[in-house]
């Protein structure tokens, strides 16, 4: 149902995209080959006490800084939030100094610790403590997201919770034997109850409603849904008037069709924009300032003119402000040297896969949700570029290194040993 307006996709662009994909796959195969899952070490005890202290302090700092930043602002006014984001984007395109407060900057550097805490609490604790998950995982993300007027942090948090439960199934498998009542009793503690399922579904519902309201607030600024379709046609270079589009309008009406359009556009625009990048972009390499939020913030202070010049090239090609996919982002930042980064990304992915399959150290499971989501959202940006990803992965590495694995096989009979996480 999509139809491109004033945009042309070239075979050359697709060939460069395949080249970047091949570099990623090559790196992954260098690190690992497909292999069966080895038995997990039941005697391995993961000690998260130091990691928990670090993450909870970061969460408290993020919440305090965000509350200080939003004082005097109506963060629930979606139109005002959209205007704030638009002003920040305009300042970024011009390479001008950021007007964000010191409190916002502190929150920006600390709230991603909440993503890591969500996975740690959901996947690795025998019985998740829901108030801790809410206080140190969700709260810093929600408040900072409201302060920024963004949607991606909330969606990222929901995915971390869902993938955390997926990892939990490997750490705390259900007992298969009916002859071992002790195992059945123990595993009942690990089962996700009905209240928890209702809570997760409610959280997802609230997020969905918030996303919908944000999209409609944006449409109101453009003069309504019809005006937004006009903006998409003239500014975005795409419209929803191709084959089968009439069926959507007839079934869902203009409002419903608009929601389908914007949600689907997030999925497909990476292919369109990366093709334009590979085919037409001839500006200077932006050295990470395009695809990484923190690098862009630093560049604005170091050399704002360089940043403005790079974005002027993207504006001329009508690419700035859109999602160029991970590989388009690497190309703008590093040109064909981005192939090296794509290979390194694949190698890291393969390394995580190999260590998880070996089953020797369950700390590697902590990395799985972030690696998986990074692959899924490669249609948008790189793992360290999507939703403040660089800072998120710094907290992930800190947590991984501060957690300790201890072998307790010499201190208890083997038959009583199992994974114990505290």
């Amino acid at each position: 149902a999509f139809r491109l307006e004033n945009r042309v996709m070239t075979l050359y662009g697709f060939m460069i995209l395949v080249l970047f994909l091949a570099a990623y796959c090559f790196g992954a195969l260098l690190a690992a080959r497909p292999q069966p899952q080895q038995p997990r070490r039941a005697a391995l005890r993961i000690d998260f006490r130091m990691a928990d202290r670090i993450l909870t302090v970061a969460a408290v700092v993020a919440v305090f800084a965000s509350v200080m930043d939003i004082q005097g602002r109506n963060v629930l006014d979606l139109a005002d939030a959209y205007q704030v984001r638009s002003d920040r984007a305009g300042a970024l395109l011009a390479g001008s100094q950021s007007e964000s407060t010191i409190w916002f900057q502190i929150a920006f550097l600390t709230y991603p610790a909440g993503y890591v805490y969500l996975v740690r609490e959901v996947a690795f604790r025998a019985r998740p403590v829901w108030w801790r998950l809410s206080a140190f995982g969700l709260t810093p993300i929600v408040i900072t997201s409201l302060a920024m007027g963004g949607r991606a942090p909330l969606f990222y948090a929901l995915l971390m919770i869902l993938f955390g439960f997926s990892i939990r199934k490997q750490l705390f498998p259900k007992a298969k034997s009916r002859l071992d009542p002790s195992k059945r009793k123990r595993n009942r503690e690990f089962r996700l109850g009905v209240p928890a399922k209702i809570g997760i579904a409610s959280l997802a519902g609230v997020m969905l409603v918030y996303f919908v309201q944000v999209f409609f607030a944006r449409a109101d600024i453009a003069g309504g849904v019809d005006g937004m379709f006009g903006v998409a046609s003239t500014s975005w270079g795409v419209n929803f008037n191709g084959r089968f589009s009439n069926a959507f309008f007839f079934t869902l009406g203009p409002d419903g069709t608009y929601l389908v359009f914007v949600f689907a556009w997030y999925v497909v625009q990476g292919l369109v924009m990366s093709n334009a990048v590979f085919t037409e972009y001839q500006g200077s390499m932006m050295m990470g300032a395009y695809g990484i939020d923190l690098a862009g913030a630093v560049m604005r202070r170091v050399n704002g003119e360089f940043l403005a010049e790079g974005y002027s090239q993207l504006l001329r090609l009508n690419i700035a402000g859109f999602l160029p996919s991970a590989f388009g982002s690497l190309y703008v930042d590093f040109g064909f040297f981005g192939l090296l980064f794509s290979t390194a990304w694949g190698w890291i992915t393969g390394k995580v896969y190999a260590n998880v399959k070996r089953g020797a150290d369950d700390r590697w499971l902590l990395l799985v949700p972030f690696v998986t989501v990074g692959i899924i959202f490669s249609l948008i940006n790189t793992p360290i570029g999507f939703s403040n990803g660089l800072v998120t992965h710094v907290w992930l590495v800190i947590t991984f290194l501060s957690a300790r694995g201890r072998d307790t096989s010499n201190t208890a009979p083997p038959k009583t040993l199992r994974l114990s996480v505290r």
Side-chain angles (χ1 to χ4, degrees), residues 46-336:
I46 308 296
D47 187 351
F48 277 101
R49 286 178 295 183
M50 178 58 70
D52 285 344
R53 294 189 189 103
I54 296 172
L55 293 176
T56 52
V57 168
V60 171
V61 170
V63 171
F64 177 77
S66 295
V67 170
M68 295 297 294
D69 178 62
I70 63 179
Q71 283 187 333
R73 291 170 47 195
N74 182 8
V75 295
L76 298 180
D77 186 340
L78 298 181
D80 181 65
Y82 175 74
Q83 187 60 49
V84 170
R85 290 190 66 198
S86 179
D87 292 342
R88 287 175 178 166
L92 177 64
L93 295 178
S96 58
Q97 290 288 329
S98 173
E99 297 181 0
S100 60
T101 66
I102 185 62
W103 297 115
F104 176 83
Q105 295 169 19
I106 293 173
F108 184 82
L109 294 175
T110 52
Y111 87 87
Y115 299 128
V116 186
Y117 191 87
L118 288 175
V119 178
R120 180 272 181 271
E121 185 72 28
V122 170
F124 286 86
R125 197 183 295 277
R127 298 192 66 177
V129 182
W130 300 109
W131 74 264
R132 292 176 63 89
L133 185 146
S134 299
F136 304 124
L138 284 175
T139 300
I141 296 170
V142 170
I143 295 181
T144 307
S145 180
L146 291 174
M148 294 188 300
R151 304 172 300 279
L154 298 177
F155 189 46
Y156 198 96
L158 179 62
L159 290 178
M160 289 300 106
I161 294 174
L162 296 177
F163 278 106
F165 279 111
S166 177
I167 298 302
R168 183 182 182 83
K169 294 178 181 178
Q170 299 186 48
L171 293 170
F172 304 109
K174 295 181 180 179
K176 297 182 180 179
S177 174
R178 296 185 177 182
L179 303 178
D180 191 344
S182 64
K183 284 188 177 182
R184 293 203 309 271
K185 181 179 179 180
R186 190 165 60 235
N187 277 281
R188 280 200 297 269
E189 298 177 352
F190 306 149
R191 193 171 301 156
L192 184 62
V194 173
K197 293 179 180 179
I198 293 176
I200 294 174
S202 300
L203 177 63
V206 170
M207 290 183 180
L208 179 60
V209 170
Y210 177 71
F211 294 163
V212 168
Q213 292 303 315
V214 168
F215 287 134
F216 279 125
R218 179 183 298 182
D220 289 340
I221 295 175
V225 170
D226 291 337
M228 201 62 195
F229 277 117
V231 170
S233 178
T234 58
S235 179
W236 298 3
V238 65
N239 214 330
F240 204 68
N241 58 359
R243 185 177 299 180
F244 305 121
S245 61
N246 289 335
F248 282 96
F249 280 98
F250 178 78
T251 305
L252 303 176
D255 290 352
T257 302
Y258 165 68
L259 292 177
V260 171
F261 168 58
V262 292
F263 276 112
W265 177 234
Y266 274 97
V267 177
V268 303
Q269 69 173 290
L271 297 175
V272 177
M273 297 304 164
S274 64
N275 191 282
V277 165
F278 296 139
T279 304
E280 302 180 66
Y281 182 73
Q282 297 179 350
S284 302
M285 293 184 292
M286 295 183 67
M287 308 306 293
Y290 175 62
I292 304 174
D293 294 335
L294 189 58
V298 172
M299 185 61 71
R300 291 169 71 176
R301 288 162 173 77
V302 174
N303 191 346
E305 292 182 1
F306 171 80
L307 191 65
E309 181 182 350
Y311 272 108
S312 68
Q313 295 286 333
L314 296 170
L315 282 169
R316 182 178 59 82
L317 300 175
N318 195 19
I319 297 173
F322 295 101
L323 308 174
S325 84
F327 306 116
S329 177
L330 286 173
Y331 185 81
V332 172
D333 278 330
F334 306 107
F336 283 107

Side-chain angles (χ1 to χ4, degrees), residues 23 39-40 80 105 212-213 268 303 318 337 339 341 344 347 352 383 408 416:
R40 317 217 76 81
D80 181 65
Q105 295 169 19
V212 168
Q213 292 303 315
V268 303
N303 191 346
N318 195 19
F337 289 106
L339 292 168
F341 290 93
W347 185 87
V352 172
T408 60
T416 64

